[in-house]
Amino acid sequence: MANIIPFKAVRPTRDKVSLVAARSYQSYTLQQRESRLRDNPFSFLHIVNPGYKYDKEISGEARYNLVRNRYLEFKEDAIFIQDDQPCYYIYQITDRDRKVFNGVIAATSAEDYEKDIIKKHEDTIAHREVVFKEYLKTVGFNAEPVLLTYPDNDVIAQIIKVVQKERAEFEFTTTYRDTHLLWKIENKEQLRSIQHEFQQMETIYIADGHHRSASSYLLYKDLKTNNPSHTGNEPYNFFMSYLIPQSNLQIHEFHRVIKDLNGLTKEEFLIQLDMVYRIENRGHTPYKPTKTHHFSMYLDGEFYSLHLRKTVYKTESSLDALGTQILYKSILEPILGIHDLRNDKRIGYINGKDDIISMKNAVDNGAYKVGFGMMPVSIAEMKAIADDGLKMPPKSTFIEPKLRSGITIYEF
C-alpha cells in the first residue's frame, strides 16, 4: 500500500522556468557551468554553486548554508512561488528523439522506503548517503525528484489524459531539444482518485535516484528521533518523486571499457575467454548484441561476438542471470582481475544511449585496451532483482527520463 500524497510545490514563475531549470550539476562541463553562471542569473546552478558569487570554491557546512541563502533569495525575489494548496503535478518530457514521458510528481513516504514497499535494485555508498543527508538537513528542500516506476494503471492514465487537455502551467524547450510541460492537479476528486490508485499498489520501484532516496530516508530517521512531538505527518516523512508507468520507462545499457588485459597478451586473453564463451571475430563491422547473455567485444581494432557457454556458467538467482553480473563473474573478475567495480580505476563506463562507436573510440584513442558492449536490462530483470532483495552491479542501467532540477521543489 503505497502512500503517495500531493504537496505544495515551490516553483519558478511561468516566465522564468526555462531560465531556472538545470541539469544535474555534475552533467555540465566546467566551461558549460561557467557560461550558464555568467550569462544566466536565474539558473538553479546559482543556488547549488553559491561560491560563484564570491569567485571561490566553498564546501561542507559553509556551502550548505550559502545554498540555503541563495534559495531564500530566489523566493524573496519572487523567482520562486509556492502553491496555496497541495497538488499532484503532471509532468511531460518529450526528448529530441520524440520519445514522450508522462508521470506524476508527488511526495512519497520514507516509511514505505523503510518497509520495502519502495523497492531498490542498486547498492548505495554509505558516505554519500550521509553527506547528502546533512546537505538536505541544512538547506531544507529537495529540488530534483527521485524517479520511481509503477505498474501501468488505467485510472491514473485517464486522469493524466484529461488534465493534459487543459493549458499547461508552463512549457519550455531546452537547448538539448527536450520539451517540458507541467500541469497542476487541484481537483479534489482527481486528487483522491490518484491517491487511492497508488494505495492499491503493493510495490513501486526506484528507477533512478537510489542515493537521493536513501539520504531522504536517513533524514527522516534523524528528524523523527529528535522530534518528541512526531506525528508522521511532518514534511520530512516524505520525499519528492516523479512516478511514471513501467511501460513508459526507457532503460539503456552502460558499456564497459578496461585499461589493460591484466598482464595477458591478446592471444592469452582470447584463450581464457574461449573457456566461457563462443567467440566469433566480426572484423571491422560494428557489432551490438541482440540476445540475452550475448556480448560484443572490441579489441585491437576488431569487433567480436561473445556467446555465453551456459554449460560452464550456472545461474542460481535473478542476479546471476543479469548481463552485467555475468560479465563481472566470467571475465572482469577472474580474467581481468577487477574485483571492486565501484573503485577500480582500470574500468570505465560509457552510456549505451550513445552508439557502440563511442566504445570503439574510447579504445582506439588509447585510453582503454578492450571494450564490452551490453544488452539493456529489462524492466522484468530490474523488478526481479529488487523483489529478491538483491543489488545490481554499478552502472547496470542508464534510465530515462532524465529530470531537471528546480522545476518543482519540496520543502521539509
Side-chain angles (χ1 to χ4, degrees):
M1 180 175 170
N3 186 18
I4 296 169
I5 65 171
F7 70 102
K8 299 177 185 178
V10 175
R11 302 182 288 109
T13 56
R14 186 192 296 269
D15 62 319
K16 300 288 195 310
V17 64
S18 63
L19 298 170
V20 171
R23 304 199 314 271
S24 64
Y25 188 78
Q26 293 79 9
S27 69
Y28 293 98
T29 66
L30 178 60
Q31 292 77 14
Q32 288 172 331
R33 285 200 299 267
E34 285 291 327
S35 172
R36 282 157 176 77
L37 288 164
R38 181 184 64 246
D39 300 331
N40 180 6
F42 302 108
S43 173
F44 194 77
L45 295 179
H46 283 284
I47 293 177
V48 295
N49 185 17
Y52 179 80
K53 182 177 180 179
Y54 304 105
D55 193 25
K56 183 178 180 181
E57 287 290 331
I58 302 173
S59 60
E61 188 70 21
R63 173 176 168 263
Y64 304 164
N65 283 305
L66 287 179
V67 168
R68 176 72 178 169
N69 289 347
R70 293 293 90 74
Y71 172 66
L72 293 176
E73 288 168 7
F74 270 50
K75 291 184 72 175
E76 291 161 3
D77 293 341
I79 299 168
F80 286 143
I81 57 173
Q82 185 166 27
D83 288 316
D84 296 327
Q85 300 297 326
C87 303
Y88 289 121
Y89 301 88
I90 305 303
Y91 189 32
Q92 181 185 92
I93 304 172
T94 304
D95 68 16
R96 66 173 69 189
D97 300 319
R98 310 312 299 167
K99 172 72 175 175
V100 180
F101 302 95
N102 283 304
V104 180
I105 295 177
T108 47
S109 168
E111 189 174 5
D112 284 354
Y113 180 94
E114 182 176 58
K115 292 180 177 178
D116 210 33
I117 293 171
I118 297 175
K119 289 189 173 287
K120 311 89 181 167
H121 66 261
E122 184 179 291
D123 270 331
T124 53
I125 301 171
H127 171 69
R128 285 182 59 191
E129 292 177 15
V130 173
V131 167
F132 193 58
K133 182 259 292 184
E134 293 301 322
Y135 170 84
L136 292 174
K137 184 183 289 187
T138 301
V139 303
F141 67 84
N142 194 317
E144 183 181 346
V146 172
L147 181 63
L148 302 180
T149 188
Y150 61 90
D152 287 34
N153 181 283
D154 291 339
V155 174
I156 296 175
Q158 184 58 34
I159 292 174
I160 290 175
K161 189 177 295 186
V162 168
V163 170
Q164 289 181 334
K165 292 179 180 178
E166 305 296 326
R167 184 193 181 197
E169 190 70 17
F170 62 68
E171 176 179 2
F172 69 94
T173 300
T174 72
T175 54
Y176 277 68
R177 300 182 183 178
D178 298 333
T179 299
H180 300 249
L181 295 93
L182 180 137
W183 294 261
K184 288 198 305 182
I185 296 184
E186 299 176 283
N187 178 281
K188 287 188 168 64
E189 183 177 341
Q190 291 174 330
L191 291 172
R192 282 195 296 268
S193 293
I194 291 175
Q195 189 165 2
H196 173 76
E197 292 303 313
F198 280 127
Q199 285 173 341
Q200 306 313 302
M201 298 177 189
E202 293 184 4
T203 54
I204 55 178
Y205 296 83
I206 298 175
D208 194 19
H210 283 79
H211 281 93
R212 277 173 282 137
S213 50
S215 300
S216 295
Y217 170 64
L218 291 180
L219 178 68
Y220 149 78
K221 288 207 302 182
D222 268 13
L223 298 181
K224 174 184 176 181
T225 300
N226 294 318
N227 181 6
S229 303
H230 173 83
T231 66
N233 296 317
E234 298 86 354
Y236 61 72
N237 291 277
F238 299 87
F239 57 95
M240 184 170 63
S241 295
Y242 178 47
L243 299 106
I244 69 171
Q246 291 170 13
S247 63
N248 204 194
L249 196 68
Q250 186 80 40
I251 304 180
H252 302 280
E253 67 277 16
F254 270 103
H255 304 311
R256 274 74 171 130
V257 282
I258 315 299
K259 291 188 175 181
D260 59 65
L261 297 181
N262 197 29
L264 300 172
T265 66
K266 174 184 172 181
E267 291 71 23
E268 290 169 339
F269 172 64
L270 289 172
I271 288 170
Q272 290 202 31
L273 207 56
D274 192 81
M275 301 299 293
V276 191
Y277 290 90
R278 289 184 57 189
I279 306 171
E280 183 178 345
N281 188 322
R282 301 278 181 150
H284 301 293
T285 303
Y287 170 75
K288 191 172 183 179
T290 57
K291 293 183 180 180
T292 304
H293 302 168
H294 289 192
F295 305 92
S296 68
M297 181 175 73
Y298 184 70
L299 173 66
D300 198 21
E302 295 179 310
F303 283 93
Y304 297 80
S305 60
L306 307 180
H307 296 179
L308 183 68
R309 298 185 188 275
K310 296 184 179 180
T311 55
V312 177
Y313 183 92
K314 303 297 182 183
T315 59
E316 298 178 354
S317 70
S318 56
L319 180 60
D320 292 336
L322 190 72
T324 52
Q325 180 73 358
I326 291 171
L327 190 79
Y328 170 60
K329 297 303 291 185
S330 64
I331 301 177
L332 301 185
E333 184 179 45
I335 300 177
L336 295 178
I338 293 175
H339 305 284
D340 185 349
L341 292 171
R342 291 190 178 278
N343 299 306
D344 197 313
K345 303 300 183 185
R346 295 168 57 220
I347 185 170
Y349 302 93
I350 295 177
N351 163 15
K353 188 180 179 183
D354 298 331
D355 195 87
I356 196 81
I357 298 301
S358 297
M359 181 185 79
K360 174 183 182 297
N361 291 340
V363 175
D364 285 346
N365 68 21
Y368 296 93
K369 181 68 175 178
V370 61
F372 298 96
M374 314 293 296
M375 282 281 291
V377 173
S378 69
I379 289 284
E381 287 176 315
M382 187 185 81
K383 289 174 61 178
I385 287 170
D387 289 342
D388 292 343
L390 302 171
K391 300 294 186 294
M392 295 182 185
K395 299 292 186 182
S396 287
T397 58
F398 178 85
I399 295 181
E400 291 185 306
K402 293 298 180 186
L403 305 176
R404 300 262 163 164
S405 296
I407 293 176
T408 56
I409 295 172
Y410 181 77
E411 293 187 338
F412 37 80

